[in-house]
Amino acid sequence: MTVGSKQAPRVLITGGAGFLGSHLVKSLLSGGNEVIVLDNGSTKNLEDVKSNPKLEIIQASVTDPFPSHILASRIYHLACHASPKQFGLRPLEILETCYTGTKNALEAARKWNARILLASTSEVYGNPEVCPQPETYNGNVNCFGPRACYDEGKRVVEALAFAYRKQYSVDLRIARIFNVYGPGMPASDGRVVCSFVDAAIHSRDLVITGDGAASRCFQYVSDCVEGLRLLMESSWSKGPVNIGSETETTMAKLAGIVVQRLAAQKLGRSSRIVYKDAVEDDPQRRRPDWGLARRVLGWEPRVSLETGIDRTVAWFLAAEDACR
Ligand SMILES: NC(=O)c1ccc[n+]([C@@H]2O[C@H](COP(=O)([O-])OP(=O)(O)OC[C@H]3O[C@@H](n4cnc5c(N)ncnc54)[C@H](O)[C@@H]3O)[C@@H](O)[C@H]2O)c1
């Protein structure tokens, strides 16, 4: 990895205790950066680095004004619940986090003269009518449905970013992140790779909603972290960049791979793949056009789905052992 800056800037990561944020925190700490995490959730994912003197954890919401002592020169703004289960439980909080939280983050970037990277998402494309999706595609999103708080919330994030750049020339990077998976993602939060792995480890059925033909492009978390760091340090500030794998996998194929990888370890043998009704507004296909990321960042994902699943399984098993 060659993206660390020589000066190792002081970095603020909002949402740094979450799945993706905690991997980013560890990557930046190992690159010698001072890291401040601003997160109002559990800090369990940071347990192994909590004693690092270069890490400060502030437990607060991004919807409150940021503490002024932070004064970072880089801000990764990741705070926002990304689990589909949360979309139904706290839609207003998610919208508030997207609007007020992002406004606070952009305000901090403006005042501190810091560069800010916003974690947007492939969800801004909604249920896309074009495939693969280039950054120039404006999306097909339902603003009145169960996923609207997140999908439209993230569109507001991008609109705010555009406004701050236009009015205040804020130094901006926007990552449209496509499905990330890996160690540290809770089995219970409804994201498909970890739900399948957890089910298979416990010999439960793997439940596919819909007919199994819906597809996603999964990227392993270390690839995504590398993409985010490269984007942050790149000179590309014109607009959003897709960060995602181009390899499309159907839900049926994913379930099959998980069962097969577990079987190789003599696990999950009695799991079956079963089908339930499709979920409302769940997009059928998602696939990034990654030409821009390749061109301006020289980035592409490196970890195959099979290897990533093996690593995720190993993490799940180790976490269970530690709880015994
Ligand atoms: N993981 C993915 O596949 C994926 C894909 C696209 C985009 N993203 C984006 O990346 C970011 C991180 O995703 P993740 O998978 O780590 O999500 P996550 O849900 O695991 O973590 C989000 C973190 O944000 C914190 N948070 C939420 N609201 C907050 C608030 N108001 N104030 C402070 N902290 C708050 C949570 O406590 C949590 O620690 C999110 O913005 C998400 O939209 C993730």
Side-chain angles (χ1 to χ4, degrees):
M1 173 91 160
T2 53
V3 291
S5 146
K6 278 187 189 131
Q7 291 110 0
R10 195 169 146 84
V11 181
L12 168 64
I13 307 179
T14 74
F19 160 60
L20 186 51
S22 58
H23 284 272
L24 181 60
V25 167
K26 290 168 198 177
S27 168
L28 285 162
L29 283 174
S30 65
N33 294 80
E34 267 183 72
V35 179
I36 302 118
V37 166
L38 183 59
D39 197 304
N40 66 354
S42 160
T43 57
K44 200 170 140 224
N45 285 335
L46 298 174
E47 213 50 60
D48 51 335
V49 285
K50 266 183 183 162
S51 59
N52 188 318
K54 290 202 163 186
L55 175 66
E56 181 185 357
I57 301 175
I58 302 170
Q59 286 197 276
S61 175
V62 289
T63 56
D64 296 326
F66 289 11
S68 55
H69 79 271
I70 297 175
L71 270 182
S73 60
R74 295 281 188 274
I75 303 173
Y76 288 89
H77 180 51
L78 271 61
C80 181
H81 291 290
S83 148
K85 282 197 180 160
Q86 301 296 333
F87 305 167
L89 294 173
R90 35 176 134 186
L92 289 174
E93 187 187 321
I94 289 173
L95 280 163
E96 180 73 5
T97 296
C98 286
Y99 182 75
T100 309
T102 302
K103 195 159 181 286
N104 284 337
L106 286 160
E107 210 36 57
R110 181 173 81 85
K111 285 191 194 139
W112 305 340
N113 202 19
R115 180 176 293 176
I116 183 167
L117 181 148
L118 302 169
S120 183
T121 166
S122 57
E123 305 291 336
V124 299
Y125 299 124
N127 195 5
E129 295 141 315
V130 298
C131 205
Q133 295 91 51
E135 289 83 353
T136 47
Y137 176 54
N138 286 338
N140 175 36
V141 180
N142 178 8
C143 62
F144 195 77
R147 305 179 66 87
C149 62
Y150 185 72
D151 300 8
E152 295 292 1
K154 288 290 182 173
R155 289 172 72 90
V156 165
V157 165
E158 292 198 18
L160 268 169
F162 185 86
Y164 263 77
R165 194 183 58 181
K166 189 164 175 55
Q167 271 188 246
Y168 300 118
S169 304
V170 165
D171 189 9
L172 189 71
R173 306 288 182 273
I174 298 175
R176 287 190 181 152
I177 304 167
F178 286 65
N179 299 64
V180 192
Y181 71 96
M185 183 176 263
S188 56
D189 84 355
R191 290 185 266 185
V192 66
V193 176
C194 292
S195 301
F196 282 179
V197 167
D198 184 59
I201 283 176
H202 295 103
S203 293
R204 293 195 310 269
D205 293 341
L206 279 64
V207 180
I208 293 177
T209 51
D211 62 5
S215 68
R216 295 290 182 274
C217 294
F218 298 102
Q219 60 179 323
Y220 188 67
V221 64
S222 59
D223 283 331
C224 181
V225 164
E226 184 182 31
L228 296 181
R229 291 190 60 185
L230 284 166
L231 177 58
M232 176 64 107
E233 299 309 327
S234 80
S235 57
W236 181 263
S237 58
K238 280 191 194 152
V241 179
N242 288 336
I243 300 289
S245 158
E246 233 181 7
T247 309
E248 207 169 350
T249 307
T250 64
M251 294 304 120
K253 185 172 177 198
L254 174 68
I257 293 174
V258 170
V259 168
Q260 180 238 319
R261 303 308 284 187
L262 269 285
Q265 299 186 48
K266 301 191 178 10
L267 291 163
R269 284 192 164 155
S270 53
S271 293
R272 295 168 308 152
I273 297 171
V274 299
Y275 292 84
K276 278 193 178 166
D277 289 345
V279 175
E280 189 186 348
D281 276 348
D282 204 21
Q284 192 62 17
R285 274 184 96 183
R286 273 290 168 60
R287 183 175 166 213
D289 180 329
W290 75 1
L292 184 63
R294 197 188 280 139
R295 206 171 66 248
V296 299
L297 309 179
W299 172 84
E300 57 184 80
R302 289 183 287 194
V303 180
S304 72
L305 187 55
E306 286 76 7
T307 301
I309 286 175
D310 287 349
R311 290 181 191 170
T312 307
V313 170
W315 177 81
F316 267 82
L317 293 173
E320 294 213 343
D321 274 353
C323 289
R324 276 194 200 114

